[in-house]
Amino acid sequence: MDIASLNTKYGIAGTLEFALGKGGLPMARITSSHADAVISLYGAQVLSYRPKGKEETLWMSAKSSFEEGKAIRGGIPVCFPWFGAHATDKTKPQHGFARISLWDVAGAELEQDGTACLRLSLRDTERTHALWPHAFSAELEVRVGSSLEVALTCTNTGSAELTYTDALHTYLAVSDIGSVLLRGLGSCTYYEATETAPLRQEEALLEIDRVVNRRYIDTEAECVIEDRGVPRTISVAKKGSRITVVWNPWKEGARSMADMEDDGYRTMLCVEAVNTLGDAVVLAPGKSFTLGTVITVD
Ligand code: TA6
């Protein structure tokens, strides 16, 4: 659907407007009484969330691609139907195809309390069958209110059981990584990147002073970024996930990525709601499952 038709069908005067953004990709721009937000239809990716009177909450790489076929580096990428590299075929796109697909608009509403809601959808096609041989529908609901609520619901529309992994790979903006402490994962067990030995985080507050790529297991805890530089706290709550991934690529990692500035790692921290490892989602025909995250700034 073109931009004019999207605005006619789903636009909300003064609150929600569709426009072509960077790279000519279609975006929804939301201005609610609580916050402003930008959501890319390419990838169903929230790119910006700025509560009224506050600074930007989500990090976006100044060197990100905005181009079909490439992932956008920042905001909240949707990883589906697999998280990370494909289990058996490394030629398939890292983190699945959802973040490099153009999603449809399924609905938009302005709720009574001023929260604006946008729903995007993705269904299986010949292209997705070539990458993942399953019938599915996915819906991403974004609620822009005093918090940012993002929920990914996947439904098995086929006649056989299917299994997937997924993530809401949230990039949070921080003043400087040296001014940040992450609360919520004390006493949790985690796996570092591709290591197989479990480790335990002893400290209640995590300081990020080197590359961090941890998969914390068996945790539904809310995480809180304490940013002494702004100062502010960003809390990241979640549902439908017992794995939290914390990622900062640090200096060497940032340098190795074409779409991140060399010092980009200093102003970001990913705190991700994930289903992976032993927590893959198994869906019988007709069944649905929702993964959600709620981001609140104080
Ligand atoms: O969630 C952390 C992670 O899986 C890291 O291993 C790192 O590779 C990151 O995601 C970014 O992946 P991307 O494909 O966007 O470069």
Side-chain angles (χ1 to χ4, degrees), residues 27 31 37 65 72 79 102 121 163 181 200 220 233 288-289 291:
M27 316 266 170
T31 307
S65 308
I72 298 172
C79 305
L102 192 59
S121 67
T163 301
L181 293 169
R200 186 181 138 99
E220 294 175 352
T233 60
S288 300
F289 182 80
L291 166 69

Side-chain angles (χ1 to χ4, degrees), residues 78-82 97-98 103 120 122 132 135-141 151-157 162-168 275 281-291:
V78 174
C79 305
F80 171 85
W82 56 88
F97 52 76
W103 292 52
L120 303 175
L122 184 70
W132 195 59
F136 73 93
S137 68
E139 183 172 281
L140 190 87
E141 182 180 74
L152 173 68
T153 300
C154 299
T155 304
N156 180 350
T157 55
L162 63 76
T163 301
Y164 67 88
T165 57
D166 62 354
L168 295 169
N275 290 300
V281 181
V282 181
L283 281 185
K287 295 292 181 196
S288 300
F289 182 80
T290 299
L291 166 69

Side-chain angles (χ1 to χ4, degrees), residues 189-251:
T189 299
Y190 67 91
Y191 293 88
E192 184 71 55
T194 50
E195 297 297 316
T196 50
L199 298 164
R200 186 181 138 99
Q201 180 178 310
E202 301 299 340
E203 64 272 39
L205 292 168
L206 179 67
E207 221 175 308
I208 315 285
D209 55 5
R210 71 200 72 174
V211 58
V212 172
N213 192 357
R214 297 183 177 185
R215 282 102 172 103
Y216 291 86
I217 62 166
D218 299 331
T219 176
E220 294 175 352
E222 176 178 275
C223 288
V224 180
I225 293 178
E226 297 182 2
D227 188 340
R228 293 160 294 178
V230 179
R232 71 175 175 184
T233 60
I234 304 174
S235 65
V236 185
K238 60 176 188 165
K239 65 172 182 184
S241 156
R242 291 182 50 77
I243 294 184
T244 297
V245 172
V246 177
W247 179 58
N248 183 294
W250 212 246
K251 205 175 288 181

Side-chain angles (χ1 to χ4, degrees), residues 73 83 94-95 99 169 171 213 215 245 247 257 272:
R73 172 83 58 205
F83 173 76
Q94 155 106 339
H95 287 318
R99 67 176 182 166
H169 192 303
Y171 288 78
N213 192 357
R215 282 102 172 103
V245 172
W247 179 58
M257 281 182 272
E272 310 165 30

Side-chain angles (χ1 to χ4, degrees), residues 59 173-180 208 248-251 254 260-269:
W59 181 86
V174 299
S175 58
D176 183 88
I177 197 70
S179 305
V180 162
I208 315 285
N248 183 294
W250 212 246
K251 205 175 288 181
M260 189 184 275
E261 289 184 310
D262 287 357
D263 61 355
Y265 74 96
R266 294 218 67 92
T267 52
M268 55 77 67
L269 182 62

